[in-house]
Amino acid sequence: MKTTHISTISMSDASRRQIQGQSSLVQKLSVELSSGRKYDVGLDLGTKTGEAVSVRAEFHFLNGIIDTNALAASRLDVSQAAMGDILSDAQDFLSTLVALRENDGSADIVKADAVGNLELLTSRLNTQLNGNFVFAGINSDQEPLADYADPAAANKVAADAAFLTEFGIPLTSPGVAAITPAAMDTYLNGAFDAMFQDPAWGATWSSASSNVMVSRISASETVSSSVSANEQAFRDLAAAYTMMSDLGNEDLDGETWKVVVNKAIEKLGGGIAGVTSQMGKLGNVQEQVKLASERLTVQTDILNRRVNDLENVNLEETSVRLNTALTQLETSYAVTARMQGLSILNYL
């Protein structure tokens, strides 16, 4: 005959383990109820843990692209607004030149407009967004366009030097009245035009990079999401405003004045066409970014639902389990207290 050994210590140890287990379960269920997520995802999912990790990684990747798309959309909006101002001013100035082409006595009026337009062009091409220059290409930390209004600016110094070299007199000299139409035409198509072409443009006018910002708008799509100040359209507008504001036009012979005006009209026409083209390209990119973000939102919603299916708990079920575990824990405490009160001395 065999009897099972029963002792007070073994019964206490069993009760202790029971209470520890129930306390651990209560803690786990409390965390799950408050967070809505499994306490130990890897332990609960087992072989599906790899799927959860993969789906969550894809969700964060696509969500990151949505965030960068929002930044790209802001940059595109700011660029469009700036170019809209540039285009509007150029069109108004072109109308002014066409109307006053035959009136060389209007040089003062035209000069004032040209000075203002060049300042606006410089201001808009130096537009910043979140501390970055939007027309600087990949050189987004550098101001793209030098300020021609500054007498010490490289572009102003270069223009003065080119005029002096060509005609042997400074821009402010009354001697500009002796410049012939042919001489002016040669200058405008030669040394003057060269200032707005490479390498002179990059040396004296622009610090921008011709390599524009490229944005990833989906897992498989990238787009050019900015415009460089080095675009020919902006060079043409800068040339037109410069020749109408700083060639001594007030003192030029009437026929020579017409040569300058006609060249400015030609440059303005090219600049307006170029800016319009750039705005159209950016408009297409804006639509691409919008559609890509919409598609990504749908994808992330699907991925988020799958992550929730894998990692989240049923709150109603968890609440019932927690209440049951609490009841069992209270019962364990009560039973343990009764057992600890047992003593053989009570029966002697």
Side-chain angles (χ1 to χ4, degrees):
M1 180 177 179
K2 182 179 179 181
T3 60
T4 302
H5 175 72
I6 298 177
S7 67
T8 302
I9 191 171
S10 65
M11 294 175 63
S12 297
D13 187 57
S15 297
R16 180 182 60 81
R17 290 197 301 270
Q18 175 70 16
I19 290 174
Q20 284 181 335
Q22 285 299 114
S23 297
S24 177
L25 178 60
V26 167
Q27 179 188 8
K28 171 185 173 182
L29 292 175
S30 297
V31 171
E32 289 185 348
L33 188 63
S34 62
S35 67
R37 190 168 179 262
K38 288 180 171 62
Y39 183 79
D40 189 330
V41 174
L43 181 63
D44 285 346
L45 291 181
T47 57
K48 289 186 178 182
T49 303
E51 180 188 356
V53 172
S54 177
V55 172
R56 182 173 283 278
E58 182 71 8
F59 171 81
H60 287 303
F61 172 67
L62 297 182
N63 224 32
I65 296 179
I66 291 176
D67 292 339
T68 59
N69 281 0
L71 294 175
S74 296
R75 184 165 58 248
L76 291 167
D77 289 342
V78 170
S79 299
Q80 287 282 43
M83 288 194 293
D85 289 344
I86 291 171
L87 180 63
S88 177
D89 269 26
Q91 290 171 331
D92 291 343
F93 190 61
L94 178 60
S95 299
T96 299
L97 285 187
V98 171
L100 301 177
R101 176 164 40 186
E102 302 300 326
N103 182 8
D104 58 321
S106 59
D108 287 337
I109 299 174
V110 173
K111 177 178 180 177
D113 283 351
V115 169
N117 285 1
L118 184 55
E119 289 178 352
L120 181 133
L121 176 67
T122 302
S123 171
R124 294 299 181 268
L125 291 182
N126 289 339
T127 296
Q128 294 186 69
L129 176 67
N130 299 325
N132 295 316
F133 294 97
V134 299
F135 290 98
I138 59 175
N139 296 343
S140 58
D141 60 335
Q142 298 183 35
E143 190 172 69
L145 213 62
D147 184 7
Y148 192 82
D150 180 1
N155 50 3
K156 172 59 175 171
V157 172
D160 289 346
F163 191 90
L164 181 61
T165 300
E166 185 79 16
F167 300 111
I169 56 175
L171 282 164
T172 55
S173 172
V176 298
I179 298 175
T180 65
M184 181 59 78
D185 186 66
T186 299
Y187 174 61
L188 293 178
N189 289 295
F192 181 84
D193 191 62
M195 290 190 295
F196 301 90
Q197 307 302 328
D198 294 325
W201 174 262
T204 61
W205 276 87
S206 173
S207 298
S209 170
S210 295
N211 296 320
V212 298
M213 300 289 288
V214 176
S215 301
R216 177 171 295 281
I217 61 172
S218 73
S220 58
E221 292 177 274
T222 58
V223 294
S224 298
S225 57
S226 69
V227 176
S228 172
N230 293 338
E231 289 293 334
Q232 189 60 46
F234 303 132
R235 302 184 193 208
D236 287 343
L237 293 179
Y241 297 145
T242 301
M243 70 176 68
M244 294 312 304
S245 66
D246 202 27
L247 282 184
N249 294 334
E250 309 95 306
D251 298 317
L252 289 178
D253 174 76
E255 293 303 314
T256 305
W257 152 264
K258 289 180 183 178
V259 170
V260 177
V261 172
N262 288 335
K263 188 64 177 178
I265 289 174
E266 178 188 327
K267 289 291 186 181
L268 283 170
I272 288 171
V275 172
T276 302
S277 175
Q278 290 299 324
M279 292 180 71
K281 290 178 182 178
L282 279 196
N284 290 334
V285 174
Q286 285 178 299
E287 186 64 18
Q288 285 180 269
V289 172
K290 176 185 175 184
L291 293 175
S293 293
E294 290 175 353
R295 291 194 300 270
L296 289 174
T297 299
V298 172
Q299 290 176 305
T300 53
D301 286 345
I302 294 173
L303 292 172
N304 188 50
R305 285 197 295 270
R306 182 53 183 161
V307 169
N308 289 339
D309 289 342
L310 290 169
E311 298 183 359
N312 287 2
V313 296
N314 184 312
L315 295 179
E316 293 182 1
E317 178 185 340
T318 302
S319 178
V320 171
R321 290 179 62 198
L322 177 60
N323 289 333
T324 301
L326 286 170
T327 300
Q328 291 176 343
L329 181 60
E330 291 172 359
T331 302
S332 297
Y333 278 131
V335 171
T336 300
R338 292 285 299 274
M339 292 180 64
Q340 287 179 344
L342 294 175
S343 174
I344 194 171
L345 296 177
N346 296 332
Y347 302 96
L348 293 179

